[in-house]
Amino acid sequence: MENQILKNISPEEFKEKLNSNEYVLIDARTQEEHNEEKIADSEVMDVTKPDFTEKINSLDKDKKYLVYCKGGVRSGQTMSEMGKMGFKEVLNLEGGIDGYQKFIKL
């Protein structure tokens, strides 16, 4: 798709984008994982659930999205799926929430 932005970003960049309030935050993990630890204001879209595609498809494709999971793999899959569905901008947190927590504790 033309002008589509799909890329992995560092925890530093992720925090910057998060603070801009221009992005919708998606947690690609399970609800249980989300309940244990999460980045504030994130919405669970569990990539392993059968209704994942339906849930993602109901989102506004013109908005900008930040996605994360525990280590970056599931959110990478989510970003890829969203790209196939025609979302304009999806950014994946490299290293997931684990890497992000190390960064914010520095």
Side-chain angles (χ1 to χ4, degrees):
M1 184 180 189
E2 221 176 295
N3 299 324
Q4 191 178 45
I5 302 167
L6 301 172
K7 67 177 186 174
N8 294 321
I9 59 171
S10 67
E12 293 88 341
E13 227 184 316
F14 187 85
K15 187 162 177 51
E16 234 171 71
K17 303 275 188 203
L18 199 54
N19 291 339
S20 75
N21 293 321
E22 292 175 33
Y23 292 81
V24 176
L25 187 57
I26 293 177
D27 183 347
R29 302 172 306 152
T30 65
Q31 186 65 54
E32 293 72 33
E33 287 174 290
H34 182 81
N35 293 345
E36 284 172 29
E37 62 176 354
K38 62 182 165 279
I39 299 171
D41 301 321
S42 55
E43 192 174 336
V44 177
M45 297 274 172
D46 184 350
V47 73
T48 65
K49 287 271 195 236
D51 66 348
F52 169 76
T53 306
E54 191 183 313
K55 277 181 130 179
I56 289 290
N57 235 338
S58 70
L59 300 173
D60 183 344
K61 291 177 176 56
D62 292 325
K63 287 188 177 173
K64 298 175 179 181
Y65 293 88
L66 291 170
V67 293
Y68 75 94
C69 63
K70 184 162 175 59
V73 175
R74 286 176 285 176
S75 52
Q77 290 173 320
T78 301
M79 177 178 69
S80 175
E81 283 304 308
M82 290 175 80
K84 289 177 198 164
M85 291 178 194
F87 282 82
K88 290 212 173 18
E89 185 171 338
V90 185
L91 305 174
N92 177 35
L93 174 59
E94 274 178 2
I97 195 170
D98 287 353
Y100 185 70
Q101 286 180 328
K102 286 180 189 133
F103 165 71
I104 56 174
K105 284 180 183 158
L106 294 177

